[in-house]
Every structure is written in C-alpha cells, then in structure tokens.
C-alpha cells in the first residue's frame, strides 16, 4: 500500500511519478515503464475499435472494447498501489482476451492470432529473471489462449446466436466485474490515503509544537550564549587591562632598578661588588623579558596584535640589541659576534619593535644555554627585488643544543628542551613560541638546527620594505654611551612624577653633560616651557594634575613658534601599540619605553637635536 498516496497525487500518477517510499521505487524500473507504455497503447487501440464498432452499431463489441480501454487505463494505477505482479498478469490476460475476441470477429483468415507471439514476448519483458514462474504463467496464458482460439473457437465450436449472446454477456460481465474490483480497490486506497493524510497532519501539528518548544529552548540557549559571550568579552577586557596595568606598574620600578644597575656598573665597582651587580642586572632583564612575554602571549591569543610599517636603521637596531647583551656575554666569557653582509640594506621598512623582540628572545636563549664559546648573529639578503627585500637572521651558539626527539616541539607553548633544562636555567618556555608567532604573523619563517652538546642555530626569515638611504648619517652617537660629549650643553626639560626615576634620569643626563630642569607634572612642564627655552622635553605620560598628553597638546598651542615646536619625547612604561598611537596623536615626536635602554635614549636625543 502506498505511503504517499493522496487525492492530489493523481496528477503525479498520470505523469508517471512514483508515489511509494524511497526504498520501494517502482517507476524507475524498466518493467514498469513497459507496463505503462503497453497499457496506454492498448487502451488507445481499444478506443479505436470501440469507435469502429460503435459506427457499425455492434453494441456487444462496443461495450467489450470500452471495458478493455478502461481496464488498460486502470492497470497502471493498480500497479502503482503496490499490486505490480497482479497488474502485469492482468495486462497479459486482457491482451490475450482482446486477441481472441478480434480473431473471433474477423475469422481465421485475418491471422490476428499471430499477435500471441508478441504477447508471449511481453511476458518476458514484464518479468525479470527473479520472477521466472510469473513469466512462465504469462507465456502459458498466451499459449492457452492460442489453443482456445485455434482449436475451440475456429475448429470445434459452432456457436448459435443464443450461445454467442451468452459469451458476449459473459465477457461484458467479466469486464464490469474487473472494472468494479479496480475501482473498489482505488476507492479503498483513496480512503486509506485520506486517513494517512489526517494522521500526517496530526503528526505535523505535533512536530510543529515540538519544534516550537525546541526553538524556544534554542532562543534561550542563544540568549545565554550572548550573555556568556558578553561576560567573556568583559573578562578578556579586564584581563587585558590587568596585564597592561601590571606591565606599567612593574616597568616603572624596573626602570629604576635597571637604570641604577647600569650606572653602578659604570662606576668602576670593586670586584666583590661586580658579581652582585651583574646578578641584579641579569635578574632585572630576565624579569622584564618575562613581563613582555606574558603580555604579548595574551595579545597573540586574543588576536589583537598589530604590526607597524615604519622606517628604521637596521645597523642601529642590531647595535642596540648587542649592547644590551654585551655585559651578560662578558660576564660568562662568551664572544658576541655579528656579521652583516654588504648587500643588506641599511634602512628598512617594517616593525623594528617586533624584530627587536624576536632577536632579543633568540639572543637571550643563546646566551642562557651557552657556557663557553660564542654567540653569533649573521644577517644576509635572500632576495632583493624592487623595493622589497627578504632578510635572513641566523643566531648560532655553542651551547648545550637540543635533543633531536624534542626539536619538533621546541616552539610549543611552555616547552623547553627538557625538564632538566627547566630546573637548571628556568624560564617560562614562552620566548620561542612568541618569536615563532610574531615571525609567522608577519609572513616569515623560523627554523632551528641543533645537535645536542654542540650548539644550535635559529634562523628567521622576514620580508621588509627597503627605504632610501640618507645622504648624511646622523648616527654618530651609536655605541657611545658613557663619557660622551655629543649632548654637552643641550638643554633638556624632564617631566617625571616618580622621584626614583627622576634620580635615575638625572644621573644619566649629568653624565652626558646636558643642562636640565626637572618638574613633577605636566602643569609644571607647561609653566617651565613658557619661562625658558629648551632643546628637548622628556615627558612622562601618567602624572598628577596634568598628564603628558594634555601638557603636550597645550604646548603645541603656544603662541611662541619656537616653544610650540620644541621636540617632545614620551617616557612611557606602557608597551601597547594604542599608547604609541596616542603619543603621536597628542603631538609628541618620539617615545622611549621604560625601562629605557641608555644607548637608545642617547641616540634619540642626538638625532632629535641634530648632533
């Protein structure tokens, strides 16, 4: 019985579409196509004979062929209701009966009985090799019909008028009974289909109600998810603010620690003082590196890290990095070497801060895990086309090396060469992870080659823009920190509210023989600018009464053009890109991050005053 039948499906049946379940497809079978085609063809032939005999006023034959036509039209419908085999037998039977009747009418001379041969062939076409018995039954029906026609009707039966009338009414009765059975079956299926339709509608209503309940639950889940997302965003923002605040608050005293440590090392300390000072310096720089790593790791995870495209001097950048590690290398009696190929452009366009961070991490690792020998940086050009250059930085050491089994995981977060390494040398294991992510986020690559007990080589490849070389170099202060007279006589205004940092900065500026004035906030800095001319202003950002941003904006609005255009360098303990953008937006010329590198600060001052 069809599971998809309905009154509206009659058109589908007429078009030969299947109304059964997908696992019971009939319409696609070749035998069904044959059944449909032959049935409709024979129905057409029956209608033709119906018309012919109606014209000749042969009532009995007219009714017979009318019943034949109806039967042939209803057989496909019966097949589509699930009675496929019975429909095929009926088709063969009605075809045989039609041949018998026509042969009887036209006599033996017409040889209409020859059509029993295609009737037998039809049996073969309708039933496949899995239905041999039904095929044989169909063939047998045709053979029996032939013998009935040939030996009974033509040869032995001499029908009287009353006998012919009896046969006629028997045939008509059979046709009507068959038609009644088919229509009765059709009606039954119609009622069943309507019942199923009602059940389906009821089921659909239940499903709609269930769907409505589930949709309401889904909306609640979505609402909860939105609330959770909002809370997560707040949590992430709070985390970022916390890290930024902690970074700033820790960097401020670290500026004093590292600054004073640097000054102590330059004051010719006694031998018994040198080791504690070196330990203090190393520990301070390690702590600062950890702070930077945690902050950057959080920003990378949040997908908020951005890269600058600014012009910078590669040689100066390398020299500043070397200067920051020279003391550590000297204390461990390790040679620190640099080899820059002649083809390497002097001025590049990229993110110098991120390049410095990557190289710092690699230098720090190399020095940490090397007890004797050397650490060497080699810089070469891989490709130079138009205004782009692919630069390779290779940092090699003669340290402990990395086990071959762990070399593939060395860039994973919180991973070190071994547990023994972690116990001996400490560290979070974030340095290489951050270096790899910073490199890859800029479209570069980082790799390592290492042999345990021999040493390691970390190679970074990055693409930079190539800037035009300046005609006159202004890097005369490069590498000269203490005892330099390049800044002698330069008038500097220092705006800093932290007394300790005031003293640290004062000590450095005194060594550079500058003339300086110290104020405690932005308001005092504004007053001092109006009273006196300065060559440079070193402006802290977070100060009471008036911060560095507001003070700078007011200075840029002064009437005196000299005072209005005085160079201002920001002193900030914040390492975020947003702060740097705010610095430039306020009208400042440059910035120095606390804890500052003395060489970097001196270089900026020398460049900005043009000495």
């Amino acid at each position: 019985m069809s599971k998809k039948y309905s009154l509206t499906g009659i058109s589908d049946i007429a078009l030969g579409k299947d109304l059964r379940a997908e696992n019971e497809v009939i319409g696609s079978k070749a035998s069904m196509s044959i059944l449909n085609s032959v049935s409709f063809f024979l129905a057409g032939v029956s209608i033709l004979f119906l018309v012919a005999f109606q014209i000749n006023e042969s009532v009995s034959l007219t009714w017979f062929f009318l019943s034949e036509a109806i039967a042939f039209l209803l057989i496909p419908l019966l097949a589509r209701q699930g009675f496929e085999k019975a429909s095929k037998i009926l088709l063969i039977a009605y075809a045989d009966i039609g041949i018998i009747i026509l042969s009887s009418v036209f006599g033996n001379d017409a040889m209409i009985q020859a059509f029993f041969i295609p009737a037998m062939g039809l049996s073969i076409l309708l039933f496949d090799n899995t239905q041999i018995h039904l095929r044989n039954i169909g063939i047998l029906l045709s053979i029996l019909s032939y013998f009935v026609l040939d030996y009974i009707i033509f040869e032995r039966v001499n029908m009287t008028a009353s006998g012919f009338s009896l046969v006629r009414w028997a045939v008509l009765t059979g046709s009507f009974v068959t038609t009644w059975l088919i229509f009765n079956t059709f009606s039954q299926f119609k009622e069943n289909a309507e019942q199923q339709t009602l059940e389906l509608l009821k089921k659909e209503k239940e499903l709609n109600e269930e769907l409505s309940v589930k949709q309401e639950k889904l909306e609640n889940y979505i609402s909860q998810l939105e609330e959770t997302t909002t809370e997560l965003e707040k949590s992430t923002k709070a985390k970022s603010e916390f890290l930024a605040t902690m970074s700033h608050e820790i960097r401020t005293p670290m500026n004093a620690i590292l600054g004073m440590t640097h000054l102590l090392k330059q004051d010719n300390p006694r031998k018994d003082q040198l080791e504690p000072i070196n330990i203090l310096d190393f520990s301070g720089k390690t702590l600062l590196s950890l702070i930077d790593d945690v902050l950057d790791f959080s920003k990378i995870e949040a997908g908020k890290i951005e890269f600058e495209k600014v012009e910078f001097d590669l040689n100066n950048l390398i020299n500043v990095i070397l200067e920051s590690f020279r003391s550590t290398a000297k204390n461990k009696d390790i040679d620190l070497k640099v080899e820059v190929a002649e083809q390497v452009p002097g001025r590049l366009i990229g993110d110098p801060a991120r390049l410095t961070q990557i190289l710092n991490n690699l230098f720090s690792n190399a020095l940490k895990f090397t007890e004797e020998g050397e650490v060497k940086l080699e810089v070469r050009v891989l490709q130079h086309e138009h205004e782009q250059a692919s630069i390779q930085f290779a940092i090699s050491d003669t340290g402990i090396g990395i086990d071959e089994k762990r070399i593939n995981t060395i860039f994973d977060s919180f991973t070190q060469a071994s547990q023994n390494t972690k116990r001996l040398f400490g560290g979070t294991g974030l340095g290489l992870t951050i270096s790899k992510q910073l490199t890859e986020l800029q479209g570069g690559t980082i790799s390592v080659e290492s042999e345990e007990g021999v040493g390691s080589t970390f190679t970074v490849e990055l693409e930079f823009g190539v800037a035009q070389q300046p005609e006159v170099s202004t890097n005369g202060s490069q590498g000269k920190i203490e005892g330099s007279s390049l800044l002698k006589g330069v008038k500097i205004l220092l705006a800093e509210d932290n007394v300790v940092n005031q003293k640290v900065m004062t000590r450095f500026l005194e060594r550079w023989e500058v003339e300086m004035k110290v104020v405690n906030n932005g308001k005092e800095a504004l007053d001092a600018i109006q009273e006196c001319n300065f060559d440079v202003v070193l402006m802290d950002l977070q100060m009471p009464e008036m911060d560095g941003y507001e003070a700078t904006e007011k200075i840029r609005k002064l009437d005196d053009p000299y005072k209005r255009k005085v160079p201002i360098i920001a002193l900030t303990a914040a390492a975020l890109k947003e702060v740097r953008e705010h610095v430039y937006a306020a009208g400042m010329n440059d910035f120095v991050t606390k804890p500052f590198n003395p060489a970097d600060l001196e270089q900026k001052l020398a460049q900005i005053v043009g000495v």
Side-chain angles (χ1 to χ4, degrees):
M1 184 180 293
S2 173
K3 295 180 181 178
K4 295 184 178 179
Y5 182 79
S6 67
L7 290 176
T8 58
I10 295 177
S11 61
D12 291 340
I13 295 174
L15 295 173
K17 296 182 180 178
D18 183 58
L19 297 176
R20 305 188 69 204
E22 291 182 1
N23 61 342
E24 298 175 348
V25 175
I26 294 175
S28 61
K29 293 182 179 179
S31 62
M32 279 301 298
S33 298
I34 294 169
L35 183 140
N36 292 335
S37 302
V38 173
S39 296
F40 294 136
F41 172 74
L42 292 179
V45 171
S46 298
I47 292 171
L48 288 175
F49 281 112
L50 169 66
V51 173
F53 288 115
Q54 176 67 31
I55 292 172
N56 291 328
E57 296 182 354
S58 178
V59 178
S60 59
L61 288 174
T62 299
W63 280 100
F64 170 75
F65 282 108
L66 175 61
S67 65
E68 283 267 306
I70 294 173
F72 285 133
L73 288 173
L74 292 178
I75 282 172
L77 299 180
L78 188 63
R80 289 188 175 276
Q81 298 304 318
F83 300 99
E84 179 182 346
K85 296 175 183 179
S87 299
K88 292 176 181 179
I89 294 294
L90 280 175
L91 175 61
I92 295 168
Y94 272 101
D96 289 337
I97 292 171
I99 295 170
I100 291 173
I101 297 301
L102 286 173
S103 296
S104 301
V105 172
F106 292 105
N108 193 24
D109 295 334
M111 293 299 291
I112 295 175
Q113 64 270 28
F115 283 96
F116 285 123
I117 296 174
M120 288 186 283
L122 180 63
S123 300
I124 297 173
L125 293 174
L126 289 175
F127 298 105
D128 57 31
N129 55 7
T130 62
Q131 299 172 331
I132 297 294
H133 61 291
L134 293 175
R135 180 188 297 177
N136 293 334
I137 291 173
I139 294 172
L140 183 60
L141 281 175
S142 299
I143 294 172
L144 290 175
S145 299
Y146 177 81
F147 279 104
V148 167
L149 178 63
D150 200 32
Y151 289 98
I152 297 177
I153 295 179
F154 289 152
E155 299 291 337
R156 300 182 183 182
V157 178
N158 185 14
M159 296 182 68
T160 62
S162 60
F164 183 80
S165 178
L166 181 62
V167 170
R168 181 188 66 184
W169 286 109
V171 171
L172 287 173
T173 302
S175 298
F176 278 114
V177 169
T178 303
T179 304
W180 177 80
L181 288 172
I182 291 174
F183 270 106
N184 185 62
T185 303
F186 181 83
S187 176
Q188 181 182 354
F189 278 112
K190 181 199 74 169
E191 292 173 359
N192 290 338
E194 290 175 347
Q195 181 63 31
Q196 289 180 7
T197 301
L198 292 174
E199 291 177 359
L200 286 172
L201 288 173
K202 183 179 179 182
K203 186 67 175 177
E204 182 183 6
K205 184 178 179 181
E206 293 174 355
L207 288 173
N208 285 334
E209 291 175 354
E210 185 179 349
L211 180 62
S212 178
V213 172
K214 290 184 176 180
Q215 186 174 2
E216 186 177 348
K217 289 182 179 180
L218 180 60
E219 289 174 354
N220 291 334
Y221 290 148
I222 292 173
S223 177
Q224 292 175 8
L225 181 60
E226 289 175 350
E227 292 177 2
T228 304
T229 302
T230 302
E231 291 298 322
L232 182 61
E233 288 175 354
K234 290 180 181 178
S235 176
T236 303
K237 184 178 179 181
K239 174 185 173 183
S240 299
E241 291 176 353
F242 171 77
L243 289 172
T245 302
M246 290 303 297
S247 173
H248 180 275
E249 295 303 317
I250 295 174
R251 280 174 174 274
T252 299
M254 285 302 300
N255 182 60
I257 294 170
L258 293 177
M260 284 299 183
T261 302
H262 186 88
L263 291 170
L264 287 172
K265 287 198 294 185
Q266 303 304 319
D267 285 340
N268 298 319
R270 300 190 309 269
K271 289 184 179 181
D272 62 320
Q273 295 175 329
L274 188 59
E275 184 178 3
I277 292 172
N278 287 334
I279 292 173
L280 184 63
D281 182 60
F282 177 78
S283 299
K285 288 179 178 177
T286 301
L287 178 59
L288 183 62
S289 176
L290 292 176
I291 295 167
D292 289 337
D293 284 348
V294 171
L295 185 62
D296 283 330
F297 187 71
S298 175
K299 289 169 69 177
I300 290 171
E301 275 192 325
K304 294 184 177 180
I305 197 158
E306 296 178 359
F307 297 94
E308 295 180 319
K309 290 288 184 182
V310 297
E311 185 177 327
F312 65 95
D313 189 301
L314 180 61
N315 291 321
N316 286 349
L317 183 145
I318 292 173
N319 283 327
V320 168
I321 292 173
L322 288 179
E323 189 62 37
S324 65
F325 288 104
R326 199 174 299 282
S327 176
T328 302
K330 184 178 179 181
N331 293 334
K332 299 184 73 172
D333 198 22
I334 296 171
D335 292 332
L336 208 55
K337 297 180 179 180
V338 177
E339 184 180 307
V340 181
E342 293 182 2
Q343 297 82 4
V344 177
R347 297 192 69 77
L348 301 174
I349 298 174
D351 194 327
R354 296 305 177 189
L355 176 59
T356 300
Q357 189 174 358
I358 293 168
L359 296 180
N360 270 338
N361 277 332
L362 297 180
F363 261 113
S364 177
N365 267 10
L367 286 170
K368 182 190 294 185
F369 300 121
T370 302
E371 295 302 324
E372 59 181 13
E374 66 177 27
V375 173
K376 183 178 182 180
L377 168 64
E378 294 180 81
V379 185
R380 60 176 63 90
V381 177
L382 296 179
Q383 191 174 4
H384 189 173
E385 293 181 358
H386 306 295
E387 296 181 353
Q388 292 291 119
S390 181
I391 311 295
Q392 182 187 79
F393 303 87
I395 297 180
S396 56
D397 62 62
T398 56
I400 62 174
I402 305 168
D403 185 0
E404 185 179 354
K405 295 179 182 178
R406 298 187 64 85
I407 213 165
N408 292 328
T409 63
I410 198 68
F411 291 106
D412 294 345
S413 303
F414 309 106
T415 300
Q416 292 188 338
S418 67
Q419 288 299 319
N420 188 47
T421 300
K422 189 171 185 177
R423 287 194 299 270
L424 290 173
F425 299 97
T428 61
L430 283 177
L432 291 179
T433 303
I434 292 171
S435 297
K436 182 176 187 292
Q437 291 176 330
L438 290 176
T439 301
E440 291 179 348
L441 286 171
Q442 296 180 86
T445 61
I446 184 170
S447 58
V448 58
E449 293 180 2
S450 184
E451 184 177 346
E452 195 168 11
V454 177
S456 305
T457 299
F458 285 86
T459 304
V460 175
E461 296 176 9
L462 286 169
E463 191 165 310
F464 297 93
V466 179
Q468 205 169 13
Q469 295 288 347
E471 294 182 4
V472 180
S473 174
T474 59
N475 300 328
S477 64
Q478 179 182 320
K480 298 179 182 179
I481 302 171
E482 273 65 44
S484 171
S485 59
L486 288 173
L487 297 175
K488 184 176 181 179
V490 174
K491 297 185 69 175
I492 295 177
L493 174 64
L494 172 64
E496 169 67 70
D497 64 311
N498 187 288
V499 177
V500 176
N501 283 331
Q502 285 180 359
K503 292 182 179 179
V504 173
M505 189 63 71
T506 301
R507 292 284 298 275
F508 277 108
L509 295 176
E510 286 176 350
R511 293 193 177 210
W512 296 336
E513 301 181 57
V514 303
E515 297 180 19
M516 64 178 297
K517 179 179 178 64
V518 180
V519 295
N520 297 307
N521 55 59
K523 185 176 183 304
E524 292 181 8
L526 181 61
D527 295 338
I529 286 285
Q530 291 175 317
E531 293 174 2
C532 184
N533 291 333
F534 293 93
D535 297 314
V536 184
V537 178
L538 296 175
M539 184 79 73
D540 187 28
L541 298 181
Q542 296 185 11
M543 295 180 291
E545 292 192 49
M546 184 184 293
D547 61 29
Y549 300 114
E550 185 180 354
T552 299
E553 290 171 356
K554 290 184 178 296
I555 290 171
R556 296 305 182 214
K557 294 178 182 178
L558 293 175
D559 296 331
D560 189 327
Y562 180 84
K563 298 179 185 296
R564 186 170 64 243
K565 295 180 181 179
V566 61
I568 301 175
I569 297 177
L571 296 175
T572 173
L576 301 177
K577 185 174 183 291
E578 294 82 357
V579 174
R580 299 176 184 178
E581 292 174 349
H582 197 179
V583 163
Y584 290 121
M588 301 185 198
N589 301 80
D590 209 336
F591 66 91
V592 173
T593 304
K594 299 176 184 177
F596 65 87
N597 185 313
D600 187 25
L601 176 59
E602 185 185 21
Q603 176 186 324
K604 288 183 183 294
L605 289 172
Q607 287 177 345
I608 211 161
V609 299
V611 296

